[in-house]
Amino acid sequence: MDTESTYSGYSHYSGRSRGSHRHGERSRDRHKSRSKDSRSEKSVTINTPPAEPLLGDSTARSEQAQDDNWGETTTAITGTSEHSLSQEDIVRITKDLEDSVGLDCRRYFTRAVAVILGLLVFLTPLAFLTLPHILWPEKLQSCGTACEGLFISVAFKLLILLLAVWALYFRPARAGLPRVFVFRVLLAVLVFLLVVSYWLFYSVRILDSQDTNYQGVVQYAVSLVDALLFIHYLAVVLLELRQLQPCYSVCVTRSTDGATRHYNLGQLSIQRAALAVVENYYSDFPIHNPALLSASKSRAAKHLAGLKVYNVDGPGNNTSAGLVQSQSRAMIAAAARRRDTSHNELYYEEAEHERRVRKRKARLVVAVEEAFTHIKRMQDEEQKKAPGDVMDPREAAQAIFPSMARALQKYLRTTKQQHCHSMESIQQHLAFCITNNMTPKAFLESFLTPGPSLQYSRDHWRARQWTLVSEASVTSGLKDGTTFLLKCVDFSLVATSKKIPYIQMSEEYIDPKSHKFVLRLQSETSV
């Protein structure tokens, strides 16, 4: 849709009835319908998104009918479509709201349980030490030197435990998983049972009998802290060390273009393996570009568009069911006959596309080198100016950007990357290169070679939610041949795990003396 197109209302017209009464009614109905269309079409506006792609000027508008079109930058908002919702949209919006509310509630509930359990763990040893002084202080025996030394031991052990728990658990959440982490839940249950057991023993043997041996009470609190430290060591082994050794090779394939990567993973559950796959996807896979996938579809549509089916029996037989089947068979047969020459068309189309890419790449390289040469000349001139007149990198980038904008725009159009780069992002990248004194080749590398998804703006690559599809339970561990699917809005990632085989190595001893030899020279007699 052209960005400068506007909609204007139809002018009202009035005419007198010249025919019968029926003709007058038809003219009045037509007049009402056109007036209604005029009122509705007057509310149509065209909004341009803030992140406008590179150079939406007159040249882009003149070439908009080409195959290598610049990205669609306009959105038409009408008075009707702005408020219209289908039943499917309502169901989808309701489901999204329920999912988001459920995820937020589960996240807050997990945090609340973790905070309560942490407070219970750290306050229990202190409560064991202070309750005898509060309930029966006159019956307690004096605490000797060994008892006072245990106070220092409890204090430092609690400090070490606090730092260890902070390092292991209090980290930013990387993702929201569909199910709970089994090992973490088991550790939490183990800690809760340990603390409850100590409280039961403390209430029966110390609180009820009002034990006067305070040194025994302190040793009891020290044993609790030691047990908590051992549980934390078990948590480090289960949560961190167990997954370090690679056990499976996971092959990840993108469903749209077949891009494939391989990753070595340890003993993980399916949901945590899926999380590792998604994290590696953003840094390893090239950005998903749907425009590159439209060539084959347009080619097939063009081939089918050239086929026409005529009904020689007349229009009266169009209602028969066999006619539709015969037309489909005729089009399939014609497409099969034309398939013999389609590889030639594909070959010449790809050759022409490569020629255009090389041509526009050469123009872009020359334009960027000239722009950077101009920057070098400007820097030499600014060294002679006063400090207040020196241009910052942002202003320098804005000054030289127009000289390379047209060549860059055409190259991005030809390579179908115009939706990945906005004018603002290109200028920021140019200012970054100027600030760090980079070469023209370093500036062009992000445009000539498609980078990973994290290199681009978040609006172009980040999905709102990934959906994990697996036949096995997502909390079960990876096995040989396990397959799961990660679905996104535009594509999906298919992951298949293969177990790394057991490697048997043997040693072969070679005697060092076996490599030695003696060279014997025979003297020749003179003739």
Side-chain angles (χ1 to χ4, degrees):
M1 183 174 57
D2 195 354
T3 56
E4 293 186 355
S5 61
T6 56
Y7 292 86
S8 60
Y10 294 100
S11 60
H12 298 281
Y13 70 93
S14 62
R16 297 180 179 180
S17 177
R18 297 180 181 180
S20 61
H21 180 68
R22 183 178 301 172
H23 177 72
E25 289 178 352
R26 287 198 301 267
S27 64
R28 283 194 297 272
D29 293 337
R30 189 182 302 111
H31 172 71
K32 292 179 180 179
S33 63
R34 292 191 178 183
S35 300
K36 185 177 180 180
D37 294 339
S38 174
R39 289 191 296 270
S40 63
E41 292 187 1
K42 284 181 180 179
S43 64
V44 178
T45 57
I46 296 177
N47 295 336
T48 303
E52 182 181 0
L54 175 62
L55 287 181
D57 54 3
S58 60
T59 60
R61 293 191 295 268
S62 64
E63 296 179 4
Q64 211 165 18
Q66 300 178 2
D67 291 337
D68 56 349
N69 232 345
W70 190 257
E72 295 292 338
T73 60
T74 57
T75 303
I77 302 177
T78 63
T80 302
S81 63
E82 189 178 79
H83 303 286
S84 61
L85 287 174
S86 63
Q87 186 68 24
E88 291 80 2
D89 295 335
I90 295 175
V91 173
R92 178 177 54 81
I93 293 173
T94 305
K95 185 177 182 301
D96 293 341
L97 288 176
E98 291 177 355
D99 293 342
S100 62
V101 171
L103 290 175
D104 292 339
C105 292
R106 187 174 64 181
R107 187 185 304 116
Y108 292 141
F109 175 77
T110 304
R111 292 179 181 177
V113 171
V115 170
I116 293 174
L117 186 60
L119 292 177
L120 180 64
V121 166
F122 285 100
L123 294 180
T124 295
L126 301 179
F128 286 171
L129 297 177
T130 55
L131 284 179
H133 284 284
I134 297 175
L135 298 179
W136 59 93
E138 66 281 353
K139 298 180 180 180
L140 290 178
Q141 298 177 0
S142 61
C143 185
T145 305
C147 179
E148 293 176 355
L150 292 177
F151 283 137
I152 301 176
S153 175
V154 169
F156 275 95
K157 286 180 180 179
L158 284 177
L159 179 61
I160 293 173
L161 182 62
L162 178 62
L163 295 177
V165 169
W166 170 79
L168 184 61
Y169 293 103
F170 288 89
R171 290 181 290 185
R174 296 183 298 172
L177 299 179
R179 299 290 180 89
V180 295
F181 191 10
V182 177
F183 285 140
R184 184 168 292 184
V185 173
L186 290 178
L187 290 170
V189 173
L190 181 61
V191 169
F192 179 76
L193 292 178
L194 176 69
V195 174
V196 170
S197 301
Y198 265 80
W199 269 111
L200 291 176
F201 187 86
Y202 184 83
S203 61
V204 172
R205 298 300 299 271
I206 297 177
L207 292 181
D208 291 346
S209 62
Q210 293 185 356
D211 191 1
T212 59
N213 185 10
Y214 189 67
Q215 184 176 356
V217 175
V218 176
Q219 290 178 350
Y220 185 74
V222 171
S223 66
L224 173 61
V225 178
D226 292 337
L228 292 174
L229 286 174
F230 281 114
I231 291 180
H232 184 271
Y233 172 73
L234 178 63
V236 172
V237 173
L238 293 178
L239 301 182
E240 299 296 332
L241 300 182
R242 182 174 177 269
Q243 63 190 16
L244 293 181
Q245 183 180 2
C247 298
Y248 299 94
S249 176
V250 180
C251 176
V252 184
T253 305
R254 190 159 55 190
S255 60
T256 52
D257 56 355
T260 304
R261 298 291 186 274
H262 296 268
Y263 304 107
N264 291 336
L265 300 180
Q267 295 180 357
L268 297 172
S269 62
I270 294 179
Q271 62 177 357
R272 291 181 65 82
L275 176 59
V277 167
V278 173
E279 290 176 346
N280 290 319
Y281 167 79
Y282 284 134
S283 59
D284 291 346
F285 276 74
I287 187 171
H288 180 256
N289 194 349
L292 295 177
L293 306 175
S294 61
S296 59
K297 297 181 181 179
S298 62
R299 191 182 305 111
K302 182 173 63 176
H303 288 169
L304 294 178
L307 301 176
K308 295 182 180 180
V309 179
Y310 298 94
N311 185 12
V312 296
D313 296 332
N317 298 327
N318 289 339
T319 58
S320 61
L323 181 61
V324 178
Q325 297 179 359
S326 62
Q327 288 181 357
S328 300
R329 287 194 297 268
M331 293 188 69
I332 293 174
R337 287 192 296 270
R338 297 183 60 180
R339 186 175 56 189
D340 298 336
T341 60
S342 60
H343 65 280
N344 291 330
E345 298 178 4
L346 176 62
Y347 172 77
Y348 287 112
E349 285 180 5
E350 291 183 351
E352 177 64 20
H353 177 71
E354 292 176 359
R355 186 192 66 83
R356 293 174 61 191
V357 170
R358 289 196 301 268
K359 180 180 178 181
R360 297 193 174 182
K361 178 181 176 181
R363 291 181 178 177
L364 175 61
V365 170
V366 172
V368 172
E369 287 179 353
E370 292 178 353
F372 272 75
T373 303
H374 183 63
I375 290 178
K376 203 68 175 177
R377 187 166 55 251
M378 291 172 57
Q379 290 177 351
D380 295 339
E381 293 177 357
E382 287 176 355
Q383 291 179 358
K384 304 176 182 179
K385 296 181 181 180
D389 299 334
V390 176
M391 185 180 300
D392 61 351
R394 179 69 178 175
E395 295 176 353
Q398 293 177 353
I400 67 166
F401 178 70
S403 61
M404 68 176 75
R406 184 177 179 84
L408 182 58
Q409 179 192 28
K410 289 186 175 182
Y411 177 79
L412 294 179
R413 250 193 230 156
T414 305
T415 56
K416 307 295 183 181
Q417 300 183 60
Q418 68 273 16
H419 67 284
C420 299
H421 303 277
S422 63
M423 185 167 58
E424 181 67 22
S425 65
I426 295 174
Q427 289 184 358
Q428 290 179 357
H429 179 56
L430 182 58
F432 176 79
C433 293
I434 295 173
T435 304
N436 296 277
N437 197 18
M438 294 185 179
T439 60
K441 185 177 180 180
F443 169 75
L444 288 172
E445 188 64 23
S446 60
F447 307 107
L448 301 181
T449 304
S453 301
L454 287 176
Q455 180 180 341
Y456 300 91
S457 175
R458 180 175 298 183
D459 298 334
H460 295 296
W461 55 263
R462 186 165 187 176
R464 182 173 178 266
Q465 185 177 3
W466 289 85
T467 303
L468 176 60
V469 180
S470 175
E471 294 182 355
S473 176
V474 296
T475 56
S476 60
L478 283 178
K479 298 179 181 179
D480 188 16
T482 301
T483 302
F484 57 89
L485 190 69
L486 286 164
K487 297 175 65 177
C488 188
V489 179
D490 301 326
F491 58 91
S492 59
L493 299 177
V494 182
T496 305
S497 64
K498 294 293 182 181
K499 188 175 182 179
I500 297 177
Y502 177 77
I503 301 173
Q504 179 69 37
M505 300 182 67
S506 60
E507 179 185 5
E508 182 180 357
Y509 176 74
I510 300 177
D511 189 3
K513 297 181 180 180
S514 63
H515 298 290
K516 297 181 179 181
F517 60 94
V518 178
L519 180 61
R520 296 179 179 178
L521 299 177
Q522 295 180 358
S523 60
E524 297 181 358
T525 59
S526 59
V527 180

